[in-house]
Amino acid sequence: MPELPEVETVRRSLDPALLGCRVVSVQAHPVKLRVRLDAEGFARRLPGARLHAVTRLGKYLMCRFDSVTAVIHLGMSGRLVVRPSPTASVPHTHLVLGFEGGQELHFVDPRRFGLAVLLDGEEIASFRPLTQLGPDALAPEARVALVASARASRAPIHALLLDQGVIAGVGNIYASEALHRAGIRPDRRASGVSGARLTRLASLVQDVLGDSIASGGTTLGDGGFVAADGSAGYYAVRLDVYGRAGEACRRCSGTVQRRVVRDRSVYFCPRCQR
DNA sequence: ACTCGCCTGTCG
DNA sequence: CGACAGGCGAGT
């Protein structure tokens, strides 16, 4: 479910709640996520450790403790929620960290496409899912990286935006939204888009991500994304095309179309996107 | 550079 | 019942 703005929203809501606090208890279940959750490792290594920082790269969160870092990815359905201790676990809760000060961090992921691993400094430097990421989509160098990759790629521009090895953090919602803002059809071959339009697209990607963060991310329907304090994001009301098939384009008199590409929905306005 | 599989839940 | 869901990676 979460893309960069939602993960950043979670990160910001974790900071005030847990930063500087020590882990006092761990409940972990050895469920199969993207990789099996090492319940025994979490339970053995985390108690007594202090949380020093929560950082983000693309859609990954890194919770840095004294000598280990928990790397967490929310997949499609993952949530991180902070609750007062004790709070009963909802179904599909795979990890609960109790912190001094009476707070609990719950990691819940019904579909189990997410990831939670505990790594030391050496392991994190070679952890594949992280090392193969491109620059974070909000970093200045992401603009250069996107333009350079697009010039060399025969893939549709939409696929390039979703490629985490090019820039990290854009998912299905914001790929459609950025292309709409840029007036570029999603199926356009990346190398066929002019340099000027690519440069503009690269900026607009950052604009749409920033706008969404400012709104606390996108929450679609019930059971959708929530920040760690349980609050929903309200960027959904500002979406131009995502989820709006058949509705009026907000920039021209066209009608938003939905198309399925490799089992993912792509939304665009055929009138103002070329 | 694609397809498919991984999972559960919701909605029509 | 099938369609669909905000992601990723193994395999071809």
Side-chain angles (χ1 to χ4, degrees):
Chain A
M1 103 177 122
E3 306 181 29
L4 186 152
E6 291 73 39
V7 177
E8 176 62 17
T9 299
V10 170
R11 191 196 70 72
R12 291 182 183 186
S13 56
L14 287 178
D15 260 5
L18 300 178
L19 231 48
C21 296
R22 231 183 260 278
V23 176
V24 294
S25 69
V26 174
Q27 298 169 49
H29 305 282
V31 293
K32 194 183 144 217
L33 304 176
R34 195 197 310 173
V35 302
R36 184 168 205 83
L37 195 149
D38 178 14
E40 191 271 331
F42 273 87
R44 179 170 43 82
R45 300 166 81 181
L46 275 188
R50 194 182 294 279
L51 180 63
H52 293 287
V54 182
T55 58
R56 182 190 56 73
L57 178 56
K59 303 170 191 172
Y60 288 82
L61 282 177
M62 277 75 64
C63 304
R64 187 165 59 78
F65 293 90
D66 295 327
S67 59
V68 289
T69 297
V71 178
I72 294 174
H73 189 286
L74 301 177
M76 289 279 264
S77 59
R79 289 186 181 194
L80 282 175
V81 185
V82 175
R83 288 281 125 97
S85 181
T87 293
S89 297
V90 299
H92 307 295
T93 298
H94 310 308
L95 182 66
V96 179
L97 303 184
F99 286 83
E100 65 185 356
Q103 303 268 64
E104 292 179 349
L105 176 64
H106 291 236
F107 174 55
V108 184
D109 182 12
R111 292 182 72 181
R112 286 183 263 136
F113 291 169
L115 178 78
V117 295
L118 207 52
L119 305 174
D120 65 26
E122 196 156 312
E123 292 166 327
I124 207 165
S126 59
F127 186 58
R128 262 313 195 59
L130 292 179
T131 57
Q132 62 191 21
L133 292 179
D136 186 82
L138 284 181
E141 57 266 36
R143 297 195 295 270
V144 185
L146 180 63
V147 172
S149 295
R151 291 200 158 294
S153 171
R154 306 174 46 79
I157 186 70
H158 180 261
L160 208 74
L161 288 174
L162 290 178
D163 185 341
Q164 305 299 297
V166 175
I167 59 172
V170 176
N172 216 27
I173 293 180
Y174 301 107
S176 283
E177 292 299 309
L179 288 168
H180 180 257
R181 287 196 186 194
I184 300 170
R185 283 183 64 106
D187 56 359
R188 264 235 133 73
R189 180 189 295 191
S191 59
V193 180
S194 75
R197 301 180 81 207
L198 280 177
T199 302
R200 182 162 160 70
L201 172 63
S203 285
L204 289 168
V205 166
Q206 297 187 325
D207 289 351
V208 70
L209 296 175
D211 289 348
S212 180
I213 292 170
S215 297
T218 298
T219 299
L220 296 173
D222 278 357
F225 157 77
V226 287
D229 61 7
S231 60
Y234 50 93
Y235 192 72
V237 297
R238 305 245 173 78
L239 294 175
D240 283 338
V241 288
Y242 186 87
R244 299 188 65 244
E247 297 179 41
C249 176
R250 297 197 201 276
R251 312 175 75 221
C252 76
S253 57
T255 302
V256 176
Q257 307 282 308
R258 169 178 178 265
R259 191 162 295 178
V260 177
V261 181
R262 289 189 307 270
D263 247 26
R264 316 280 321 262
S265 294
V266 181
Y267 297 87
F268 67 103
C269 171
R271 188 158 184 283
C272 64
Q273 290 179 250
R274 304 280 162 177

